[in-house]
Amino acid sequence: MKIEVIEKDDQYILNHCTKYLARESRDARHDFGQYAPGDERAAICEAWRFPVVDAHWDGSSAAGSYPYNDVTFVYDGRRTAPASVAVLGTFGPLHSPVPLRPLVFAGEPTGFFATTVRVPKGQVHTYKFAVDGDYTLDPVNPQRTVLDNGEPWSRFFTDACTVPLSLSRTERDLLGRLVCHLLPFRLDENRRLIRGVYESLDRASRDEEFPLAYLLDDEVGTVNYIDKLIARQEQHHADDYHTCLKIIGEIIRSRFGGLDPAAAPAELYADLYRQMETEKVDGWDYSRYGSPRFFLLLLRRHAMTGAFVHPKHGGNSGAAGWMYLESRFRDARDGTLFDWRRALESPLGHNTDYRG
Amino acid sequence: MDGESAEVVVIGSGAGGAPLTHTLVRAGHRVVVLEKGPLLRTQAQSPTGLSDFKRDECFATGSEKRITVQGVANTGESYFSSHVEPDLNDEPHVYRDSDGRDRVTIEGYTAQVVGGGTQLYGGVSPRFTPEDLRLATLNASRGDLRDDPGGEVRREARDWPLDYAALEPYYTKAEELVGINGTWDGQAKVPSRDRYQPPLEPNPISAYAAAGMDALGMRRYRTPLAVITRDHAPSGRTVPADTDTVKTAFVNRYGDPLGLKSNAWVSLLAPLRDVNGSGGLDLRANCTVTHLEADGPRVTKVHYRDPGGRPRTLAAGTVVVACSAIESVRLLQLSGLLDPAFDKRVNANGLLGRYFLTHCFGGAQCIVPERSDKSKTLDSDWATDHCARPEWFRAQGLWAGGVIYNNTSDGALPLSLARTWHAMDMDTMWKGYLYDTSLVGNGFEDYLEESFGRRLSVAFMANQVPQRENRIELHPSVKDKWGRPVAYIIKTWHPHDRALMDALAEQCRQILVRGGDVRDVSSGSVGGSVVRIANHVLGGARFGTNAGDSVLDPDCRAWNFDNLYVTDGAFMPTSGSANPTLTIEANSFRVGDVLLDRVGRP
């Protein structure tokens, strides 16, 4: 496994550092409930942005570039001024750390170190920094995972990732039922429409246009989008999901004669939804979670976003949400009234001027 | 690096800072531009061939964050901002709400990025009318002004210290160098030269607005938009082979990855990189100016934080402050906080931060019978100056008028449609959709059927009455991430503003009602909200001919300083009848000529 290091200029990397890392205040201004008390990352703005996952361009073709991301690792050495920093991770051979270079502003070192490597989309990796030879977790990135040997590692994932990170199988199944009720795709006509569009593509164009398409189902990747969102940008909502899905699972199970909630009829979910709206849910344990309505609104925002977001964020899988709108709204000559492909990068869309 | 000096230092790289920088560097001078935000490059500029801006709805409005600022009424509430808007927990703006309580807001921030607010704006670029610059004279003998029992409107109206003829050559220069498309026929403003590029075909949904304007006898023209539709020689930008693809709904609130939107960076600063072997423009992104230091009437040093946050200083011959009105006023106030002598000079008459202005704005919206593909669009297609004419506003008992134009890119994409559903401002993004819990299953279907590609809105933008009590201060307790007091915005609407907004909203409503077989027509304005400011932040350091009545002289120089200028929208004594960016740019070009007289012409 060879590591391809990508040249990014210091301007690019500093653009991702100053707003988020540079500051005098050590207050926990950015703790929305995702950190334990005293965690220094609470002082950092949008710490989830690290490492920086961006598009990749190989200089010649969209088809050759599209399967990859550029991932930029940043180490903040302003206080400790290390002599050398390297990153070691599962994206490359474990015996050869990739060195980070010092970033310079106006001819002087800033204290930041960085390097950029090419990583395939759809992957999850763990890494550590080697700071003057000592291995350490990324002190900024909130994503961490404990490996089978009990060792904590820093973690990142690339675009269009479908590996489950936050939610268990049971949680995902239940969540799928919940978001299906919120979205229009469960209606028979729309379900046929989405599947029809997808099935109509020949195998080659399916691979070219949607090489990262996830299993196309009624929730069009929304569950996966939420799984990724609460692993990164909205980590502060992970507990809302774990707690409420547990409560909802128990309620549906009891209303469904003790059987698997994922197999319960849609009406049970519709009833639950109506009750959550009023804050009065029979059987809800308010001591564990005070406001079912709050969770419902959270779910609605995430479901809407997950269905129509750019597929790189893990939702709208295979652009199914956009294809639904594209097919649903036609003019008198059967031309589409949502020509999303025109503005978006090839091979996802048809635009070859814009590379994504 | 300390001990550095520069002939001219410009703080801020947007509409106020970039034009004069362009003039000075083209004339052979070295200018250091300090910009708080990042230098985000277009695909063509980027060494990796990838733009730092994306066509991704999550760029315009990101994931949820929560306000953690203590001591305000909205602590704990959610907010959603773009990636180049400031973090509200690191550098909030606080306003005093109508219930007397303080709240943090995202409204009134433009953008922190090279190019400033012009990176995110919709690009609507009309000129002000000649009447906008002489509202004191026009209203001096009026006894018929509505809802003005105290006579404040006449008392507080101010003429600009220059007339339209003096500004006109700079409007023309801005239109040429920035790169604007539109049409002149039908406008109330007459150009000395037509520098517009031709507009693209309007979106079909705009036909309803055009028909309504025609039915009401309103002369209309294609809205001037700061987006190039042809290759633009002054900035070296080129358009795609299929120029119709320039139209995309990723325009308002999005940076443009292809650089076709004429922001101050791609139009005015980027072309300078090759001047004088790159020695002319010294652009320092990610650098936050903390305060200015003066020795008597001369500003001597600019203190700033470099990209790693290290304090640095730069000795300066001439200093131009152009951080957008709220932040410029704040920077001068922060400088005064550290040095009473500075404060005494910059605020001798107590007017610094006073007469803060935004726009009276509002409009109407409806559902049209025929659906259009709103994703193929720019921000607006048709505009009319009908209600900016003195004949119209005099007959209405109003002191001033406003431009009306239709919006085309609003709610054009699925996520923006949902998150702006019944959202009153950027602070309530998403909330309308979320609280409308009927939007599920079949209800969601109906919502899409009615909304997607069928919502049409028409907006007005008009003068706000200047009031001394509308002001920018330093907040007594809230501090930014550098420990400096944040900006505190205190403003209300004058009763005459509300009368004006009601009259113009009714005109917008009429346009839609007369535009065809439309339904669900509603209209409204920002008259009921003190927070909304359309990101048009103006005034607070107004210019004038009388040192006792203004902060800046007619050249936009601070009265009691020899070398300190303010060139963003803060200089405006009245807010004009149109979107302000082009006027800020024209004025900055004008000040650029003034500065050439100081530092030497080639």
Side-chain angles (χ1 to χ4, degrees), chain A residues 6-9 11-25 28-33 43-46 48-49 54-59 70 78 105-112 180-187 189-190 225 229 233-234 236-237 240 273 277 293-294 296-298 300-306 308-310 312-313 322 324-325 328-332 336-340 342-345 351-356, chain B residues 1-2 36-41 43 47-59 62-68 78-87 89-92 112 240-242 244-248 250 257-258 283-288 304-312 371-377 412-415 418 430 433-442 444-449 452 479-483:
Chain A
I6 305 292
E7 295 295 325
K8 300 271 188 192
D9 62 1
Q11 182 71 64
Y12 171 88
I13 300 163
L14 290 174
N15 286 343
H16 289 93
C17 292
T18 305
K19 174 179 175 181
Y20 309 109
L21 300 175
R23 62 195 54 245
E24 208 151 70
S25 161
R29 293 173 181 240
H30 306 281
D31 180 6
F32 315 136
I44 296 168
C45 174
E46 297 177 24
W48 57 264
R49 289 184 181 272
D54 203 343
H56 173 75
W57 180 247
D58 68 6
D70 288 347
R78 288 175 300 161
F105 170 74
E108 294 180 16
T110 57
F112 294 119
C180 274
H181 180 68
L182 302 179
L183 297 171
F185 312 113
R186 76 191 168 93
L187 305 174
E189 181 190 324
N190 296 336
Y225 167 77
L229 190 71
Q233 294 98 314
E234 296 189 15
H236 54 281
H237 284 310
D240 296 270
Y273 176 92
E277 206 179 320
R293 181 179 159 84
F294 179 88
L296 180 68
L297 298 189
L298 181 70
R300 295 194 62 226
R301 176 167 63 82
H302 288 168
M304 179 71 197
T305 308
F308 297 107
V309 75
H310 190 295
K312 71 182 178 188
H313 298 288
W322 293 343
Y324 158 70
L325 297 173
R328 170 88 167 70
F329 299 119
R330 318 290 293 182
D331 63 18
T336 183
L337 290 171
F338 184 52
D339 188 2
W340 60 272
R342 179 173 165 274
L344 292 187
E345 66 275 13
N351 195 308
T352 50
D353 294 309
Y354 167 59
R355 297 175 188 141
Chain B
M1 212 164 69
D2 282 341
K36 188 185 279 182
L39 171 58
L40 300 187
R41 290 166 290 191
Q43 198 172 273
T48 53
L50 287 165
S51 167
D52 296 318
F53 287 112
K54 311 291 184 192
R55 290 176 175 172
D56 174 349
E57 287 206 78
C58 291
F59 263 59
S63 49
E64 190 222 34
K65 297 197 279 185
R66 289 193 198 153
I67 294 167
T68 60
S78 303
Y79 76 98
F80 305 88
S81 56
S82 106
H83 62 129
V84 290
E85 282 165 326
D87 184 274
N89 294 319
D90 279 341
E91 193 178 14
Q112 292 182 356
D242 177 3
D244 202 55
T245 65
V246 171
K247 289 188 291 194
T248 136
F250 294 101
L258 301 184
L283 173 62
R284 301 182 184 181
N286 302 305
C287 289
T288 301
Y304 72 102
R305 300 281 187 151
D306 74 10
R310 190 182 314 179
R312 295 183 184 273
R371 196 184 314 277
S372 301
D373 187 347
K374 288 183 71 177
S375 71
K376 297 177 182 174
T377 188
L413 298 167
L415 295 185
W430 273 115
Y433 169 82
L434 296 180
Y435 295 158
D436 189 347
T437 45
S438 68
L439 300 180
V440 295
N442 288 324
F444 191 96
E445 277 279 302
D446 296 343
Y447 153 80
L448 282 178
E449 171 65 29
F452 200 71
K479 305 281 197 293
D480 70 9
K481 67 176 180 177
W482 301 113

Side-chain angles (χ1 to χ4, degrees), chain A residues 87-99:
Chain A
V87 61
L88 179 82
T90 52
F91 53 87
L94 281 174
H95 51 82
S96 63
V98 183

Side-chain angles (χ1 to χ4, degrees), chain B residues 9-22 31-37 110-117 264-265 269 281-285 287-289 302 319-324 327-328 331 567-568 588:
Chain B
V9 176
V10 178
I11 306 164
S13 62
L20 65 92
T21 299
H22 186 93
V31 177
V32 176
V33 175
L34 297 170
E35 166 58 51
K36 188 185 279 182
T110 51
Q112 292 182 356
V113 58
V114 172
W265 158 243
L269 295 180
L281 172 65
D282 185 344
L283 173 62
R284 301 182 184 181
C287 289
T288 301
V289 174
V302 176
V319 174
V320 179
V321 177
C323 321
S324 87
E327 287 298 310
S328 284
L331 178 61
T567 60
D568 51 43
S588 177

Side-chain angles (χ1 to χ4, degrees), chain B residues 347-407:
Chain B
N347 194 24
N349 53 18
L351 287 181
L352 179 65
R354 296 278 172 169
Y355 296 103
F356 173 65
L357 290 164
T358 169
H359 272 125
C360 286
F361 84 108
Q365 61 169 338
C366 68
I367 296 173
V368 302
E370 187 136 353
R371 196 184 314 277
S372 301
D373 187 347
K374 288 183 71 177
S375 71
K376 297 177 182 174
T377 188
L378 293 176
D379 200 37
S380 173
D381 283 326
W382 294 108
T384 178
D385 290 343
H386 185 81
C387 303
R389 298 171 309 130
E391 305 83 60
W392 185 85
F393 61 75
R394 276 181 174 280
Q396 296 276 331
L398 300 172
W399 78 304
V403 69
I404 291 176
Y405 53 87
N406 82 306
N407 302 118

Side-chain angles (χ1 to χ4, degrees), chain B residues 72-152:
Chain B
V72 295
N74 56 350
T75 305
E77 283 188 17
S78 303
Y79 76 98
F80 305 88
S81 56
S82 106
H83 62 129
V84 290
E85 282 165 326
D87 184 274
L88 286 192
N89 294 319
D90 279 341
E91 193 178 14
H93 281 171
V94 179
Y95 73 104
R96 186 186 293 165
D97 211 340
S98 39
D99 60 5
R101 305 174 74 190
D102 288 352
R103 285 183 170 78
V104 164
T105 180
I106 190 74
E107 286 271 330
Y109 266 116
T110 51
Q112 292 182 356
V113 58
V114 172
T118 63
Q119 286 280 14
L120 297 191
Y121 73 159
V124 173
S125 300
R127 298 182 178 190
F128 287 0
T129 64
E131 290 76 22
D132 287 332
L133 313 189
R134 46 193 291 272
L135 287 173
T137 303
L138 269 186
N139 288 290
S141 57
R142 298 278 298 273
D144 62 329
L145 292 172
R146 290 158 61 184
D147 292 312
D148 185 31
E152 295 95 356

Side-chain angles (χ1 to χ4, degrees), chain B residues 91-368:
Chain B
E91 193 178 14
H93 281 171
V94 179
Y95 73 104
R96 186 186 293 165
D97 211 340
S98 39
D99 60 5
R101 305 174 74 190
D102 288 352
R103 285 183 170 78
V104 164
T105 180
I106 190 74
E107 286 271 330
Y109 266 116
T110 51
Q112 292 182 356
V113 58
V114 172
T118 63
Q119 286 280 14
L120 297 191
Y121 73 159
V124 173
S125 300
R127 298 182 178 190
F128 287 0
T129 64
E131 290 76 22
D132 287 332
L133 313 189
R134 46 193 291 272
L135 287 173
T137 303
L138 269 186
N139 288 290
S141 57
R142 298 278 298 273
D144 62 329
L145 292 172
R146 290 158 61 184
D147 292 312
D148 185 31
E152 295 95 356
V153 177
R154 270 195 303 163
R155 196 164 60 245
E156 296 289 14
R158 290 291 181 279
D159 289 351
W160 289 30
L162 52 89
D163 63 12
Y164 186 81
L167 200 53
E168 203 286 333
Y170 298 103
Y171 269 132
T172 305
K173 184 173 188 172
E175 281 154 356
E176 177 178 5
L177 294 182
V178 171
I180 292 179
N181 79 80
T183 57
W184 282 107
D185 187 39
Q187 291 203 34
K189 290 84 67 170
V190 182
S192 56
R193 290 193 183 84
D194 180 356
R195 297 300 194 213
Y196 283 166
Q197 292 191 337
L200 301 169
E201 277 298 305
N203 187 283
I205 201 169
S206 301
Y208 294 98
M213 291 175 186
D214 291 350
L216 294 166
M218 298 174 164
R219 296 194 70 195
R220 61 185 159 92
Y221 54 94
R222 291 300 303 281
T223 312
L225 297 172
V227 176
I228 57 168
T229 59
R230 298 288 185 275
D231 291 350
H232 184 249
S235 62
R237 288 176 292 155
T238 57
V239 293
D242 177 3
T243 53
D244 202 55
T245 65
V246 171
K247 289 188 291 194
T248 136
F250 294 101
V251 54
N252 194 353
R253 284 189 62 72
Y254 294 89
D256 181 355
L258 301 184
L260 305 171
K261 181 155 80 180
S262 297
N263 66 64
W265 158 243
V266 296
S267 304
L268 300 174
L269 295 180
L272 304 176
R273 285 172 301 172
D274 302 326
V275 175
N276 291 356
S278 82
L281 172 65
D282 185 344
L283 173 62
R284 301 182 184 181
N286 302 305
C287 289
T288 301
V289 174
T290 54
H291 60 285
L292 308 178
E293 181 183 332
D295 181 5
R298 289 192 61 79
V299 175
T300 52
K301 279 182 185 164
V302 176
H303 293 258
Y304 72 102
R305 300 281 187 151
D306 74 10
R310 190 182 314 179
R312 295 183 184 273
T313 59
L314 189 56
T318 298
V319 174
V320 179
V321 177
C323 321
S324 87
I326 295 172
E327 287 298 310
S328 284
V329 166
R330 175 179 172 228
L331 178 61
L332 296 175
Q333 290 172 337
L334 287 169
S335 305
L337 199 60
L338 293 169
D339 176 8
F342 188 103
D343 185 58
K344 206 170 168 193
R345 279 188 184 276
V346 79
N347 194 24
N349 53 18
L351 287 181
L352 179 65
R354 296 278 172 169
Y355 296 103
F356 173 65
L357 290 164
T358 169
H359 272 125
C360 286
F361 84 108
Q365 61 169 338
C366 68
I367 296 173
V368 302

